[in-house]
Amino acid sequence: MNLLDKIPTRKEIESLGVYVPGKPIEEVKRELGLEKIYKLASNENPFGFSDLARDAMIREVNTTNSYPEGTAPVLAEKIALHLGVAKESVIVGNGSDELIRLLSRAYIRPEDEVIMADVTFPRYETNIQIEGGKVVTVPLVDGVHDLSGMLEAINDQTRMIFVCNPNNPTGTIVGRVALSEFIEKVPPHILLVVDEAYYEYVTDEDYLQTLPMLEDHPNLIILRTFSKIYGLAALRVGYGMMHPSIVKELMKVKEPFNTNRIAQAAACASLDDAGFVEDCKQKNAEGRTYLAEEVARLGYSSFPSQGNFIMIQLDRSGDEVFQALLKQGIIVRSGGLLGYPQTIRVSVGTPEENQAFIQAFKEAMVTSQ
Ligand SMILES: Cc1ncc(COP(=O)(O)O)c(C=O)c1O
């Protein structure tokens, strides 16, 4: 018997799995002995990050012996200015992952129900489960959130709703009118979290600008991140806009120094480089179209994506295709892990990476048969 059997974890933790991230490049190199690896698995920015962020990080490195400012006030104020919201409405997190955790920590009581799409970003479910809340999932329709189904799922126990827009892993958005009507209809005592991690990549005009709705909807919470288009995934900076009284509650449950100095400095500097963001947005849109068209040419469909990734629908298991691609040095995400077994999710890379993927995909669809 293990001595620790007498110290069991809380029952909420027992059934939880450990988050499985996209396979790291170093691991694949080691395992397969391949030199050239392309990682198109974690929706990172293949074009790096702004030079302004690099300079800011280098400048900040000498201050590492002192703690950062716990609430990242300079960054929060800059975000507020950038977006035209009050600085009291902004909270900075250790990635938007942390903000999802803080929301769950502060608001979810055992037996509270939380509505989300099936399939969507898995951290919502995990954090709700940790707090003992009940996850209520509403299936996507053609890869898109079923907002009327989500409204119907509301009952007296509902405490929170997540809408991921664009949705990870399908990349789809909900229409402008449908989302604004949904925001109007969600009762004001239910927190409505709209996760816009991929906001900057959206090119479809039918995308709702949610920030102006904050004022009239104190239950609305908008999450964004520096991990995607700003290319700062390793630094862990996300941010949320919400009613100042919600910010105050989240401050109570966050770690005192949740974002570090280098990350705060880099994020601040990134906001000054609109050119970098615009350039990445354009290249991503080109890459996204290229991938969708090439995949279609090969006879496969993908969900219409507005993010920096596409989800390809296969006629066989995503796990098999993932393995066949891995052998060729291309790391993608199997839909098996994401709740869509017959799919793979591919991040949009550089033109070279996208072409390498299409070549390898052709080959994989032969070898994995
Ligand atoms: C929809 C969505 N939300 C949030 C996150 C978390 O991002 P981060 O914690 O890096 O800000 C991700 C990361 O992939 C995501 O896809």
Side-chain angles (χ1 to χ4, degrees), residues 107-298:
Y107 286 100
I108 301 305
R109 303 160 300 192
E111 313 311 330
D112 277 344
E113 291 193 9
V114 179
I115 300 170
M116 62 189 72
D118 182 10
V119 177
T120 190
F121 186 53
R123 299 309 294 166
Y124 313 146
E125 177 167 11
T126 306
N127 280 289
I128 299 308
Q129 284 175 339
I130 289 172
E131 302 304 335
K134 188 173 162 218
V135 172
V136 176
T137 56
V138 176
L140 298 170
V141 176
D142 296 328
V144 182
H145 278 69
D146 173 10
L147 294 181
S148 35
M150 292 175 90
L151 277 180
E152 280 166 26
I154 293 176
N155 63 27
D156 291 346
Q157 269 69 53
T158 309
R159 182 81 160 157
M160 193 180 282
I161 302 178
F162 283 97
V163 174
C164 187
N165 196 37
N167 187 41
N168 182 3
T170 53
T172 55
I173 59 165
V174 281
R176 188 166 33 164
V177 173
L179 183 56
S180 79
E181 285 178 3
F182 182 77
I183 293 173
E184 297 295 346
K185 283 183 189 157
V186 170
H189 65 278
I190 297 174
L191 290 173
L192 172 55
V193 185
V194 182
D195 184 344
E196 298 182 348
Y198 301 95
Y199 170 85
E200 298 85 357
Y201 289 111
V202 175
T203 51
D204 190 336
E205 282 171 11
D206 192 25
Y207 184 68
L208 181 71
Q209 295 300 329
T210 47
L211 281 174
M213 297 188 80
L214 274 179
E215 188 145 327
D216 291 336
H217 299 86
N219 60 329
L220 178 63
I221 292 161
I222 300 164
L223 303 182
R224 294 198 192 155
T225 182
F226 284 93
S227 298
K228 304 299 174 184
I229 209 157
Y230 291 100
L232 302 179
L235 296 182
R236 316 300 305 123
V237 197
Y239 54 105
M241 282 62 67
M242 61 203 75
H243 194 276
S245 62
I246 303 180
V247 170
K248 278 198 185 128
E249 297 305 322
L250 301 190
M251 288 292 183
K252 292 182 193 167
V253 290
K254 85 169 187 65
E255 298 299 330
F257 306 109
N258 58 331
T259 58
N260 68 71
R261 281 181 173 277
I262 295 173
Q264 289 180 19
C268 261
S270 293
L271 288 175
D272 292 330
D273 200 344
F276 176 79
V277 172
E278 193 46 46
D279 189 45
C280 292
K281 176 180 182 172
Q282 202 178 326
K283 286 179 183 151
N284 179 73
E286 284 163 16
R288 192 170 65 195
T289 304
Y290 167 81
L291 287 176
E293 285 179 358
E294 289 300 310
V295 162
R297 221 190 297 280
L298 296 170

